[in-house]
Amino acid sequence: RCSQIVRCNRDAILLVVANPVDILTYVTLKLSGFPASRVIGSGTVLDTARFKYLLGEHLEVDPRNIHAFIIGEHGDTELPVWSSANVSGIDLADFCKVCGKCADMAGLHGIYEEVKNSAYRIIERKGATFYAVSVSVCHIVKCILTGIDTTMTVSTMLNGEYGIDDVCLSLVNIVGHKGAESKILLPLTDAEQESLRKSAECLKEIIRQVEI
């Protein structure tokens, strides 16, 4: 229980993995009284990894050269940030014009849908998601323990970013030995900001039903 953890160690970094991860991250933050930087949810780290992998597979490019993010809720209202997606610094929309793998950006929408629905298919076939989540958690823990500051889409408390506050969801954060030390605010389009706010409102509606 959170109260037992707090009694044992006030200096820990709390990493929440269980779903609904954004709601549980929020509850853990409120119950622990820890600084927001030291309460982290695994968020959309796995979603982002799947997104990059599938984009790389489709474009026949090493996923390590793909820079793209899934943000928002870890769930049905998560959103891809197409506006800043790029391949080795080349805007994804420009890359699509010359790669010959897709006619335009619209052809990539199915990749996002596959990412969003992949957990449902895995659960249907295997009963639960085990291994990929474990790899993602190990990656987060490694960054915290080694202090190698790394950008990743963990779930943390928002305090006015994009006009959103008092909710935990995934944005790009720099994660290191102090936890989620700072957020990187991507230049979202108006449509992306609106989708992010809708994602936040869906989470807030659930939070309003939770007694903390």
PDB file of all heavy atoms in Angstrom, residues 26-66:
ATOM      1  N   TYR A  26      -2.115   9.260 -10.666  1.00  0.00           N
ATOM      2  CA  TYR A  26      -2.722  10.417 -10.004  1.00  0.00           C
ATOM      3  C   TYR A  26      -3.020  10.102  -8.535  1.00  0.00           C
ATOM      4  O   TYR A  26      -2.686  10.890  -7.634  1.00  0.00           O
ATOM      5  CB  TYR A  26      -4.005  10.808 -10.737  1.00  0.00           C
ATOM      6  CG  TYR A  26      -4.718  12.010 -10.169  1.00  0.00           C
ATOM      7  CD1 TYR A  26      -4.434  13.288 -10.620  1.00  0.00           C
ATOM      8  CD2 TYR A  26      -5.687  11.860  -9.182  1.00  0.00           C
ATOM      9  CE1 TYR A  26      -5.089  14.403 -10.096  1.00  0.00           C
ATOM     10  CE2 TYR A  26      -6.353  12.961  -8.648  1.00  0.00           C
ATOM     11  CZ  TYR A  26      -6.052  14.225  -9.114  1.00  0.00           C
ATOM     12  OH  TYR A  26      -6.703  15.317  -8.585  1.00  0.00           O
ATOM     13  N   VAL A  27      -3.640   8.952  -8.296  1.00  0.00           N
ATOM     14  CA  VAL A  27      -3.995   8.565  -6.928  1.00  0.00           C
ATOM     15  C   VAL A  27      -2.733   8.387  -6.078  1.00  0.00           C
ATOM     16  O   VAL A  27      -2.669   8.833  -4.925  1.00  0.00           O
ATOM     17  CB  VAL A  27      -4.828   7.265  -6.937  1.00  0.00           C
ATOM     18  CG1 VAL A  27      -5.020   6.737  -5.514  1.00  0.00           C
ATOM     19  CG2 VAL A  27      -6.188   7.510  -7.593  1.00  0.00           C
ATOM     20  N   THR A  28      -1.707   7.753  -6.658  1.00  0.00           N
ATOM     21  CA  THR A  28      -0.449   7.542  -5.932  1.00  0.00           C
ATOM     22  C   THR A  28       0.203   8.871  -5.564  1.00  0.00           C
ATOM     23  O   THR A  28       0.717   9.039  -4.448  1.00  0.00           O
ATOM     24  CB  THR A  28       0.520   6.710  -6.786  1.00  0.00           C
ATOM     25  OG1 THR A  28      -0.075   5.442  -7.072  1.00  0.00           O
ATOM     26  CG2 THR A  28       1.846   6.494  -6.064  1.00  0.00           C
ATOM     27  N   LEU A  29       0.164   9.810  -6.481  1.00  0.00           N
ATOM     28  CA  LEU A  29       0.731  11.135  -6.211  1.00  0.00           C
ATOM     29  C   LEU A  29      -0.004  11.812  -5.061  1.00  0.00           C
ATOM     30  O   LEU A  29       0.618  12.363  -4.137  1.00  0.00           O
ATOM     31  CB  LEU A  29       0.660  12.000  -7.475  1.00  0.00           C
ATOM     32  CG  LEU A  29       1.128  13.448  -7.341  1.00  0.00           C
ATOM     33  CD1 LEU A  29       2.599  13.513  -6.943  1.00  0.00           C
ATOM     34  CD2 LEU A  29       0.899  14.202  -8.646  1.00  0.00           C
ATOM     35  N   LYS A  30      -1.318  11.755  -5.089  1.00  0.00           N
ATOM     36  CA  LYS A  30      -2.111  12.419  -4.051  1.00  0.00           C
ATOM     37  C   LYS A  30      -1.923  11.755  -2.687  1.00  0.00           C
ATOM     38  O   LYS A  30      -1.813  12.436  -1.656  1.00  0.00           O
ATOM     39  CB  LYS A  30      -3.592  12.415  -4.448  1.00  0.00           C
ATOM     40  CG  LYS A  30      -3.915  13.245  -5.684  1.00  0.00           C
ATOM     41  CD  LYS A  30      -3.621  14.718  -5.458  1.00  0.00           C
ATOM     42  CE  LYS A  30      -4.038  15.559  -6.660  1.00  0.00           C
ATOM     43  NZ  LYS A  30      -3.768  17.000  -6.463  1.00  0.00           N
ATOM     44  N   LEU A  31      -1.893  10.422  -2.658  1.00  0.00           N
ATOM     45  CA  LEU A  31      -1.780   9.713  -1.382  1.00  0.00           C
ATOM     46  C   LEU A  31      -0.377   9.789  -0.801  1.00  0.00           C
ATOM     47  O   LEU A  31      -0.210   9.839   0.420  1.00  0.00           O
ATOM     48  CB  LEU A  31      -2.183   8.247  -1.566  1.00  0.00           C
ATOM     49  CG  LEU A  31      -3.651   7.962  -1.856  1.00  0.00           C
ATOM     50  CD1 LEU A  31      -3.868   6.467  -2.040  1.00  0.00           C
ATOM     51  CD2 LEU A  31      -4.552   8.499  -0.752  1.00  0.00           C
ATOM     52  N   SER A  32       0.621   9.805  -1.656  1.00  0.00           N
ATOM     53  CA  SER A  32       2.001   9.787  -1.173  1.00  0.00           C
ATOM     54  C   SER A  32       2.465  11.150  -0.684  1.00  0.00           C
ATOM     55  O   SER A  32       3.282  11.246   0.241  1.00  0.00           O
ATOM     56  CB  SER A  32       2.941   9.303  -2.277  1.00  0.00           C
ATOM     57  OG  SER A  32       3.020  10.259  -3.326  1.00  0.00           O
ATOM     58  N   GLY A  33       1.966  12.213  -1.314  1.00  0.00           N
ATOM     59  CA  GLY A  33       2.460  13.540  -0.999  1.00  0.00           C
ATOM     60  C   GLY A  33       3.847  13.799  -1.555  1.00  0.00           C
ATOM     61  O   GLY A  33       4.483  14.801  -1.221  1.00  0.00           O
ATOM     62  N   PHE A  34       4.326  12.914  -2.419  1.00  0.00           N
ATOM     63  CA  PHE A  34       5.640  13.074  -3.025  1.00  0.00           C
ATOM     64  C   PHE A  34       5.630  14.215  -4.040  1.00  0.00           C
ATOM     65  O   PHE A  34       4.577  14.562  -4.578  1.00  0.00           O
ATOM     66  CB  PHE A  34       6.027  11.786  -3.760  1.00  0.00           C
ATOM     67  CG  PHE A  34       6.663  10.727  -2.890  1.00  0.00           C
ATOM     68  CD1 PHE A  34       6.361  10.617  -1.542  1.00  0.00           C
ATOM     69  CD2 PHE A  34       7.556   9.822  -3.432  1.00  0.00           C
ATOM     70  CE1 PHE A  34       6.932   9.642  -0.751  1.00  0.00           C
ATOM     71  CE2 PHE A  34       8.133   8.838  -2.654  1.00  0.00           C
ATOM     72  CZ  PHE A  34       7.831   8.743  -1.310  1.00  0.00           C
ATOM     73  N   PRO A  35       6.800  14.781  -4.340  1.00  0.00           N
ATOM     74  CA  PRO A  35       6.886  15.738  -5.452  1.00  0.00           C
ATOM     75  C   PRO A  35       6.462  15.051  -6.751  1.00  0.00           C
ATOM     76  O   PRO A  35       6.702  13.853  -6.939  1.00  0.00           O
ATOM     77  CB  PRO A  35       8.376  16.104  -5.484  1.00  0.00           C
ATOM     78  CG  PRO A  35       8.900  15.761  -4.135  1.00  0.00           C
ATOM     79  CD  PRO A  35       8.105  14.590  -3.659  1.00  0.00           C
ATOM     80  N   ALA A  36       5.844  15.808  -7.625  1.00  0.00           N
ATOM     81  CA  ALA A  36       5.327  15.237  -8.872  1.00  0.00           C
ATOM     82  C   ALA A  36       6.414  14.577  -9.711  1.00  0.00           C
ATOM     83  O   ALA A  36       6.154  13.600 -10.419  1.00  0.00           O
ATOM     84  CB  ALA A  36       4.626  16.320  -9.687  1.00  0.00           C
ATOM     85  N   SER A  37       7.636  15.073  -9.616  1.00  0.00           N
ATOM     86  CA  SER A  37       8.725  14.511 -10.417  1.00  0.00           C
ATOM     87  C   SER A  37       9.089  13.099  -9.985  1.00  0.00           C
ATOM     88  O   SER A  37       9.732  12.361 -10.742  1.00  0.00           O
ATOM     89  CB  SER A  37       9.967  15.404 -10.317  1.00  0.00           C
ATOM     90  OG  SER A  37      10.436  15.485  -8.976  1.00  0.00           O
ATOM     91  N   ARG A  38       8.678  12.708  -8.759  1.00  0.00           N
ATOM     92  CA  ARG A  38       9.050  11.393  -8.246  1.00  0.00           C
ATOM     93  C   ARG A  38       7.881  10.410  -8.201  1.00  0.00           C
ATOM     94  O   ARG A  38       7.953   9.367  -7.546  1.00  0.00           O
ATOM     95  CB  ARG A  38       9.694  11.532  -6.866  1.00  0.00           C
ATOM     96  CG  ARG A  38      11.058  12.181  -6.931  1.00  0.00           C
ATOM     97  CD  ARG A  38      11.907  11.929  -5.704  1.00  0.00           C
ATOM     98  NE  ARG A  38      11.538  12.809  -4.590  1.00  0.00           N
ATOM     99  CZ  ARG A  38      11.028  12.384  -3.448  1.00  0.00           C
ATOM    100  NH1 ARG A  38      10.793  11.109  -3.257  1.00  0.00           N
ATOM    101  NH2 ARG A  38      10.751  13.249  -2.492  1.00  0.00           N
ATOM    102  N   VAL A  39       6.808  10.741  -8.933  1.00  0.00           N
ATOM    103  CA  VAL A  39       5.702   9.799  -9.123  1.00  0.00           C
ATOM    104  C   VAL A  39       5.445   9.701 -10.622  1.00  0.00           C
ATOM    105  O   VAL A  39       4.977  10.650 -11.250  1.00  0.00           O
ATOM    106  CB  VAL A  39       4.429  10.246  -8.380  1.00  0.00           C
ATOM    107  CG1 VAL A  39       3.308   9.243  -8.607  1.00  0.00           C
ATOM    108  CG2 VAL A  39       4.700  10.404  -6.887  1.00  0.00           C
ATOM    109  N   ILE A  40       5.790   8.555 -11.170  1.00  0.00           N
ATOM    110  CA  ILE A  40       5.797   8.373 -12.619  1.00  0.00           C
ATOM    111  C   ILE A  40       4.939   7.171 -12.982  1.00  0.00           C
ATOM    112  O   ILE A  40       5.017   6.123 -12.332  1.00  0.00           O
ATOM    113  CB  ILE A  40       7.233   8.129 -13.133  1.00  0.00           C
ATOM    114  CG1 ILE A  40       8.166   9.261 -12.698  1.00  0.00           C
ATOM    115  CG2 ILE A  40       7.243   7.964 -14.644  1.00  0.00           C
ATOM    116  CD1 ILE A  40       9.632   8.945 -12.974  1.00  0.00           C
ATOM    117  N   GLY A  41       4.153   7.313 -14.033  1.00  0.00           N
ATOM    118  CA  GLY A  41       3.442   6.171 -14.591  1.00  0.00           C
ATOM    119  C   GLY A  41       4.128   5.718 -15.869  1.00  0.00           C
ATOM    120  O   GLY A  41       4.721   6.525 -16.588  1.00  0.00           O
ATOM    121  N   SER A  42       4.059   4.431 -16.152  1.00  0.00           N
ATOM    122  CA  SER A  42       4.694   3.915 -17.377  1.00  0.00           C
ATOM    123  C   SER A  42       4.072   4.504 -18.637  1.00  0.00           C
ATOM    124  O   SER A  42       4.700   4.517 -19.696  1.00  0.00           O
ATOM    125  CB  SER A  42       4.627   2.388 -17.409  1.00  0.00           C
ATOM    126  OG  SER A  42       3.290   1.924 -17.272  1.00  0.00           O
ATOM    127  N   GLY A  43       2.851   5.016 -18.501  1.00  0.00           N
ATOM    128  CA  GLY A  43       2.242   5.828 -19.566  1.00  0.00           C
ATOM    129  C   GLY A  43       2.240   5.191 -20.941  1.00  0.00           C
ATOM    130  O   GLY A  43       1.915   4.011 -21.109  1.00  0.00           O
ATOM    131  N   THR A  44       2.641   5.978 -21.932  1.00  0.00           N
ATOM    132  CA  THR A  44       2.609   5.505 -23.321  1.00  0.00           C
ATOM    133  C   THR A  44       4.009   5.166 -23.835  1.00  0.00           C
ATOM    134  O   THR A  44       4.269   5.248 -25.035  1.00  0.00           O
ATOM    135  CB  THR A  44       1.963   6.554 -24.243  1.00  0.00           C
ATOM    136  OG1 THR A  44       2.712   7.790 -24.163  1.00  0.00           O
ATOM    137  CG2 THR A  44       0.519   6.819 -23.865  1.00  0.00           C
ATOM    138  N   VAL A  45       4.907   4.776 -22.922  1.00  0.00           N
ATOM    139  CA  VAL A  45       6.255   4.393 -23.349  1.00  0.00           C
ATOM    140  C   VAL A  45       6.196   3.212 -24.306  1.00  0.00           C
ATOM    141  O   VAL A  45       6.834   3.209 -25.366  1.00  0.00           O
ATOM    142  CB  VAL A  45       7.138   4.055 -22.126  1.00  0.00           C
ATOM    143  CG1 VAL A  45       8.468   3.435 -22.565  1.00  0.00           C
ATOM    144  CG2 VAL A  45       7.398   5.313 -21.305  1.00  0.00           C
ATOM    145  N   LEU A  46       5.394   2.205 -23.969  1.00  0.00           N
ATOM    146  CA  LEU A  46       5.273   1.033 -24.839  1.00  0.00           C
ATOM    147  C   LEU A  46       4.535   1.392 -26.129  1.00  0.00           C
ATOM    148  O   LEU A  46       4.923   0.952 -27.220  1.00  0.00           O
ATOM    149  CB  LEU A  46       4.549  -0.092 -24.105  1.00  0.00           C
ATOM    150  CG  LEU A  46       4.275  -1.362 -24.917  1.00  0.00           C
ATOM    151  CD1 LEU A  46       5.553  -1.910 -25.544  1.00  0.00           C
ATOM    152  CD2 LEU A  46       3.610  -2.415 -24.042  1.00  0.00           C
ATOM    153  N   ASP A  47       3.499   2.214 -26.019  1.00  0.00           N
ATOM    154  CA  ASP A  47       2.755   2.633 -27.221  1.00  0.00           C
ATOM    155  C   ASP A  47       3.685   3.351 -28.193  1.00  0.00           C
ATOM    156  O   ASP A  47       3.634   3.120 -29.408  1.00  0.00           O
ATOM    157  CB  ASP A  47       1.601   3.567 -26.831  1.00  0.00           C
ATOM    158  CG  ASP A  47       0.704   2.972 -25.773  1.00  0.00           C
ATOM    159  OD1 ASP A  47       1.054   3.096 -24.590  1.00  0.00           O
ATOM    160  OD2 ASP A  47      -0.323   2.395 -26.125  1.00  0.00           O
ATOM    161  N   THR A  48       4.523   4.232 -27.656  1.00  0.00           N
ATOM    162  CA  THR A  48       5.461   4.976 -28.496  1.00  0.00           C
ATOM    163  C   THR A  48       6.473   4.034 -29.150  1.00  0.00           C
ATOM    164  O   THR A  48       6.799   4.183 -30.334  1.00  0.00           O
ATOM    165  CB  THR A  48       6.188   6.043 -27.660  1.00  0.00           C
ATOM    166  OG1 THR A  48       5.241   7.057 -27.275  1.00  0.00           O
ATOM    167  CG2 THR A  48       7.313   6.705 -28.441  1.00  0.00           C
ATOM    168  N   ALA A  49       6.955   3.047 -28.397  1.00  0.00           N
ATOM    169  CA  ALA A  49       7.901   2.078 -28.957  1.00  0.00           C
ATOM    170  C   ALA A  49       7.256   1.275 -30.085  1.00  0.00           C
ATOM    171  O   ALA A  49       7.879   1.040 -31.134  1.00  0.00           O
ATOM    172  CB  ALA A  49       8.404   1.151 -27.862  1.00  0.00           C
ATOM    173  N   ARG A  50       6.017   0.849 -29.873  1.00  0.00           N
ATOM    174  CA  ARG A  50       5.301   0.118 -30.932  1.00  0.00           C
ATOM    175  C   ARG A  50       5.091   1.006 -32.152  1.00  0.00           C
ATOM    176  O   ARG A  50       5.224   0.551 -33.298  1.00  0.00           O
ATOM    177  CB  ARG A  50       3.955  -0.366 -30.402  1.00  0.00           C
ATOM    178  CG  ARG A  50       4.030  -1.550 -29.466  1.00  0.00           C
ATOM    179  CD  ARG A  50       2.671  -1.867 -28.858  1.00  0.00           C
ATOM    180  NE  ARG A  50       2.700  -3.112 -28.092  1.00  0.00           N
ATOM    181  CZ  ARG A  50       1.890  -3.383 -27.087  1.00  0.00           C
ATOM    182  NH1 ARG A  50       0.970  -2.480 -26.725  1.00  0.00           N
ATOM    183  NH2 ARG A  50       1.970  -4.527 -26.440  1.00  0.00           N
ATOM    184  N   PHE A  51       4.758   2.254 -31.905  1.00  0.00           N
ATOM    185  CA  PHE A  51       4.522   3.218 -32.982  1.00  0.00           C
ATOM    186  C   PHE A  51       5.767   3.375 -33.841  1.00  0.00           C
ATOM    187  O   PHE A  51       5.716   3.298 -35.072  1.00  0.00           O
ATOM    188  CB  PHE A  51       4.120   4.552 -32.349  1.00  0.00           C
ATOM    189  CG  PHE A  51       3.623   5.598 -33.302  1.00  0.00           C
ATOM    190  CD1 PHE A  51       2.726   5.294 -34.311  1.00  0.00           C
ATOM    191  CD2 PHE A  51       4.019   6.929 -33.157  1.00  0.00           C
ATOM    192  CE1 PHE A  51       2.246   6.270 -35.175  1.00  0.00           C
ATOM    193  CE2 PHE A  51       3.547   7.908 -34.005  1.00  0.00           C
ATOM    194  CZ  PHE A  51       2.658   7.573 -35.019  1.00  0.00           C
ATOM    195  N   LYS A  52       6.906   3.564 -33.198  1.00  0.00           N
ATOM    196  CA  LYS A  52       8.164   3.738 -33.925  1.00  0.00           C
ATOM    197  C   LYS A  52       8.537   2.464 -34.684  1.00  0.00           C
ATOM    198  O   LYS A  52       9.015   2.517 -35.825  1.00  0.00           O
ATOM    199  CB  LYS A  52       9.278   4.119 -32.948  1.00  0.00           C
ATOM    200  CG  LYS A  52       9.108   5.501 -32.325  1.00  0.00           C
ATOM    201  CD  LYS A  52      10.109   5.759 -31.229  1.00  0.00           C
ATOM    202  CE  LYS A  52      11.522   5.780 -31.752  1.00  0.00           C
ATOM    203  NZ  LYS A  52      12.498   6.132 -30.680  1.00  0.00           N
ATOM    204  N   TYR A  53       8.317   1.318 -34.044  1.00  0.00           N
ATOM    205  CA  TYR A  53       8.646   0.052 -34.698  1.00  0.00           C
ATOM    206  C   TYR A  53       7.808  -0.151 -35.964  1.00  0.00           C
ATOM    207  O   TYR A  53       8.342  -0.505 -37.028  1.00  0.00           O
ATOM    208  CB  TYR A  53       8.420  -1.113 -33.734  1.00  0.00           C
ATOM    209  CG  TYR A  53       8.552  -2.455 -34.410  1.00  0.00           C
ATOM    210  CD1 TYR A  53       9.806  -3.000 -34.681  1.00  0.00           C
ATOM    211  CD2 TYR A  53       7.425  -3.165 -34.805  1.00  0.00           C
ATOM    212  CE1 TYR A  53       9.929  -4.217 -35.327  1.00  0.00           C
ATOM    213  CE2 TYR A  53       7.536  -4.387 -35.455  1.00  0.00           C
ATOM    214  CZ  TYR A  53       8.795  -4.910 -35.708  1.00  0.00           C
ATOM    215  OH  TYR A  53       8.905  -6.113 -36.359  1.00  0.00           O
ATOM    216  N   LEU A  54       6.501   0.059 -35.850  1.00  0.00           N
ATOM    217  CA  LEU A  54       5.617  -0.159 -36.998  1.00  0.00           C
ATOM    218  C   LEU A  54       5.864   0.860 -38.107  1.00  0.00           C
ATOM    219  O   LEU A  54       5.781   0.526 -39.298  1.00  0.00           O
ATOM    220  CB  LEU A  54       4.153  -0.120 -36.547  1.00  0.00           C
ATOM    221  CG  LEU A  54       3.713  -1.298 -35.668  1.00  0.00           C
ATOM    222  CD1 LEU A  54       2.296  -1.078 -35.150  1.00  0.00           C
ATOM    223  CD2 LEU A  54       3.788  -2.608 -36.443  1.00  0.00           C
ATOM    224  N   LEU A  55       6.150   2.100 -37.736  1.00  0.00           N
ATOM    225  CA  LEU A  55       6.501   3.096 -38.757  1.00  0.00           C
ATOM    226  C   LEU A  55       7.786   2.685 -39.474  1.00  0.00           C
ATOM    227  O   LEU A  55       7.880   2.765 -40.703  1.00  0.00           O
ATOM    228  CB  LEU A  55       6.682   4.478 -38.116  1.00  0.00           C
ATOM    229  CG  LEU A  55       5.420   5.255 -37.764  1.00  0.00           C
ATOM    230  CD1 LEU A  55       5.779   6.509 -36.971  1.00  0.00           C
ATOM    231  CD2 LEU A  55       4.651   5.642 -39.024  1.00  0.00           C
ATOM    232  N   GLY A  56       8.773   2.240 -38.706  1.00  0.00           N
ATOM    233  CA  GLY A  56      10.022   1.804 -39.308  1.00  0.00           C
ATOM    234  C   GLY A  56       9.824   0.620 -40.234  1.00  0.00           C
ATOM    235  O   GLY A  56      10.405   0.562 -41.324  1.00  0.00           O
ATOM    236  N   GLU A  57       8.984  -0.312 -39.792  1.00  0.00           N
ATOM    237  CA  GLU A  57       8.703  -1.490 -40.623  1.00  0.00           C
ATOM    238  C   GLU A  57       8.017  -1.097 -41.921  1.00  0.00           C
ATOM    239  O   GLU A  57       8.354  -1.595 -42.995  1.00  0.00           O
ATOM    240  CB  GLU A  57       7.820  -2.466 -39.830  1.00  0.00           C
ATOM    241  CG  GLU A  57       7.636  -3.817 -40.474  1.00  0.00           C
ATOM    242  CD  GLU A  57       6.844  -4.762 -39.600  1.00  0.00           C
ATOM    243  OE1 GLU A  57       5.687  -4.419 -39.246  1.00  0.00           O
ATOM    244  OE2 GLU A  57       7.367  -5.831 -39.230  1.00  0.00           O
ATOM    245  N   HIS A  58       7.061  -0.171 -41.820  1.00  0.00           N
ATOM    246  CA  HIS A  58       6.332   0.272 -43.009  1.00  0.00           C
ATOM    247  C   HIS A  58       7.227   1.051 -43.967  1.00  0.00           C
ATOM    248  O   HIS A  58       7.170   0.852 -45.192  1.00  0.00           O
ATOM    249  CB  HIS A  58       5.146   1.142 -42.586  1.00  0.00           C
ATOM    250  CG  HIS A  58       4.349   1.689 -43.738  1.00  0.00           C
ATOM    251  ND1 HIS A  58       3.446   0.919 -44.436  1.00  0.00           N
ATOM    252  CD2 HIS A  58       4.343   2.924 -44.316  1.00  0.00           C
ATOM    253  CE1 HIS A  58       2.915   1.649 -45.393  1.00  0.00           C
ATOM    254  NE2 HIS A  58       3.438   2.871 -45.340  1.00  0.00           N
ATOM    255  N   LEU A  59       8.059   1.911 -43.420  1.00  0.00           N
ATOM    256  CA  LEU A  59       8.913   2.762 -44.250  1.00  0.00           C
ATOM    257  C   LEU A  59      10.232   2.089 -44.622  1.00  0.00           C
ATOM    258  O   LEU A  59      11.012   2.649 -45.397  1.00  0.00           O
ATOM    259  CB  LEU A  59       9.211   4.074 -43.509  1.00  0.00           C
ATOM    260  CG  LEU A  59       7.997   4.945 -43.168  1.00  0.00           C
ATOM    261  CD1 LEU A  59       8.428   6.102 -42.276  1.00  0.00           C
ATOM    262  CD2 LEU A  59       7.310   5.454 -44.423  1.00  0.00           C
ATOM    263  N   GLU A  60      10.450   0.890 -44.042  1.00  0.00           N
ATOM    264  CA  GLU A  60      11.701   0.145 -44.247  1.00  0.00           C
ATOM    265  C   GLU A  60      12.908   0.979 -43.804  1.00  0.00           C
ATOM    266  O   GLU A  60      13.908   1.119 -44.498  1.00  0.00           O
ATOM    267  CB  GLU A  60      11.841  -0.302 -45.708  1.00  0.00           C
ATOM    268  CG  GLU A  60      10.740  -1.271 -46.135  1.00  0.00           C
ATOM    269  CD  GLU A  60      10.911  -1.777 -47.553  1.00  0.00           C
ATOM    270  OE1 GLU A  60      11.915  -1.421 -48.203  1.00  0.00           O
ATOM    271  OE2 GLU A  60      10.042  -2.543 -48.012  1.00  0.00           O
ATOM    272  N   VAL A  61      12.761   1.513 -42.598  1.00  0.00           N
ATOM    273  CA  VAL A  61      13.801   2.332 -41.973  1.00  0.00           C
ATOM    274  C   VAL A  61      14.018   1.794 -40.560  1.00  0.00           C
ATOM    275  O   VAL A  61      13.075   1.364 -39.893  1.00  0.00           O
ATOM    276  CB  VAL A  61      13.375   3.818 -41.912  1.00  0.00           C
ATOM    277  CG1 VAL A  61      14.363   4.637 -41.110  1.00  0.00           C
ATOM    278  CG2 VAL A  61      13.231   4.391 -43.313  1.00  0.00           C
ATOM    279  N   ASP A  62      15.242   1.810 -40.091  1.00  0.00           N
ATOM    280  CA  ASP A  62      15.551   1.395 -38.728  1.00  0.00           C
ATOM    281  C   ASP A  62      14.706   2.217 -37.756  1.00  0.00           C
ATOM    282  O   ASP A  62      14.740   3.456 -37.804  1.00  0.00           O
ATOM    283  CB  ASP A  62      17.042   1.630 -38.452  1.00  0.00           C
ATOM    284  CG  ASP A  62      17.499   1.032 -37.126  1.00  0.00           C
ATOM    285  OD1 ASP A  62      16.702   1.021 -36.172  1.00  0.00           O
ATOM    286  OD2 ASP A  62      18.663   0.619 -37.044  1.00  0.00           O
ATOM    287  N   PRO A  63      13.922   1.572 -36.874  1.00  0.00           N
ATOM    288  CA  PRO A  63      13.084   2.319 -35.925  1.00  0.00           C
ATOM    289  C   PRO A  63      13.861   3.313 -35.065  1.00  0.00           C
ATOM    290  O   PRO A  63      13.283   4.288 -34.587  1.00  0.00           O
ATOM    291  CB  PRO A  63      12.469   1.211 -35.058  1.00  0.00           C
ATOM    292  CG  PRO A  63      12.489  -0.001 -35.926  1.00  0.00           C
ATOM    293  CD  PRO A  63      13.733   0.116 -36.757  1.00  0.00           C
ATOM    294  N   ARG A  64      15.152   3.086 -34.896  1.00  0.00           N
ATOM    295  CA  ARG A  64      15.968   4.030 -34.121  1.00  0.00           C
ATOM    296  C   ARG A  64      16.118   5.369 -34.838  1.00  0.00           C
ATOM    297  O   ARG A  64      16.500   6.369 -34.223  1.00  0.00           O
ATOM    298  CB  ARG A  64      17.338   3.417 -33.829  1.00  0.00           C
ATOM    299  CG  ARG A  64      17.297   2.263 -32.825  1.00  0.00           C
ATOM    300  CD  ARG A  64      18.635   1.585 -32.690  1.00  0.00           C
ATOM    301  NE  ARG A  64      19.044   0.931 -33.942  1.00  0.00           N
ATOM    302  CZ  ARG A  64      20.145   0.200 -34.081  1.00  0.00           C
ATOM    303  NH1 ARG A  64      20.947   0.038 -33.027  1.00  0.00           N
ATOM    304  NH2 ARG A  64      20.446  -0.361 -35.239  1.00  0.00           N
ATOM    305  N   ASN A  65      15.811   5.379 -36.131  1.00  0.00           N
ATOM    306  CA  ASN A  65      15.855   6.629 -36.897  1.00  0.00           C
ATOM    307  C   ASN A  65      14.504   7.326 -36.948  1.00  0.00           C
ATOM    308  O   ASN A  65      14.385   8.408 -37.514  1.00  0.00           O
ATOM    309  CB  ASN A  65      16.338   6.369 -38.317  1.00  0.00           C
ATOM    310  CG  ASN A  65      17.751   5.814 -38.374  1.00  0.00           C
ATOM    311  OD1 ASN A  65      18.029   4.896 -39.126  1.00  0.00           O
ATOM    312  ND2 ASN A  65      18.644   6.346 -37.571  1.00  0.00           N
ATOM    313  N   ILE A  66      13.489   6.670 -36.370  1.00  0.00           N
ATOM    314  CA  ILE A  66      12.143   7.239 -36.327  1.00  0.00           C
ATOM    315  C   ILE A  66      11.972   8.004 -35.021  1.00  0.00           C
ATOM    316  O   ILE A  66      12.215   7.477 -33.934  1.00  0.00           O
ATOM    317  CB  ILE A  66      11.062   6.146 -36.404  1.00  0.00           C
ATOM    318  CG1 ILE A  66      11.236   5.280 -37.666  1.00  0.00           C
ATOM    319  CG2 ILE A  66       9.667   6.763 -36.348  1.00  0.00           C
ATOM    320  CD1 ILE A  66      10.906   5.962 -38.954  1.00  0.00           C
TER     321      ILE A  66
END
